[in-house]
Amino acid sequence: MPEYHMIDAAPTPVGPFCHATETDGWVFLTGQMPTFPDAPDAPLPEGITAQAHRVMDNLVLVLEGLGLSLADVTQCRCYLTEFERDFDAFNAVYKTYFADGVRPARTTIGVTALAVGALVEVDMVARRP
């Protein structure tokens, strides 16, 4: 049976879903938005760089709440509303969260819109050691 996780330290989800679902050691993290854990109604950070940091930091909060880290991540899906404009800036932030040579598989997709007017959303798949 899957386990459905809500992490107290992570931001309130923007929809009717949990922070992560776990089954057979695989952990599927819901896409995180650039919202603040302690102020869900606060304005989003301005620009792709600040939003990318907030999204990645939110994912770290979910991972830590599950006793995991970025080293346990096997795959990421990244969504950008301004793909051509923001791809390089997003990559500059994203790569700082993973050790060189230890980066998970990744897909990056340009989309027309994201919840709460975000510029970026990232979801992850992790595996328990």
Side-chain angles (χ1 to χ4, degrees):
M1 292 294 295
E3 295 179 62
Y4 303 94
H5 300 285
M6 292 298 292
I7 308 302
D8 290 338
T12 302
V14 300
F17 38 78
C18 63
H19 288 116
T21 302
E22 183 170 356
T23 187
D24 295 327
W26 290 100
V27 183
F28 303 89
L29 280 70
T30 294
Q32 288 294 304
M33 308 310 298
T35 55
F36 295 94
D38 54 351
D41 296 324
L44 299 180
E46 285 195 40
I48 188 62
T49 298
Q51 287 195 21
H53 278 292
R54 183 72 261 149
V55 164
M56 295 302 291
D57 291 344
N58 288 345
L59 288 160
V60 168
L61 290 172
V62 174
L63 287 166
E64 288 175 347
L66 296 167
L68 299 168
S69 73
L70 289 169
D72 300 307
V73 174
T74 61
Q75 194 260 341
C76 296
R77 283 181 299 247
C78 310
Y79 307 89
L80 300 173
T81 60
E82 297 289 340
F83 190 90
E84 290 183 14
R85 181 192 74 190
D86 292 342
F87 185 70
D88 291 338
F90 173 75
N91 284 333
V93 171
Y94 177 89
K95 71 180 183 179
T96 67
Y97 284 82
F98 298 97
D100 287 339
V102 189
R103 294 188 178 124
R106 186 183 111 178
T107 300
T108 305
I109 303 162
V111 297
T112 58
L114 291 167
V116 301
L119 299 173
V120 59
E121 179 176 358
V122 177
D123 65 43
M124 295 179 166
V125 177
R127 178 84 168 148
R128 288 209 180 268

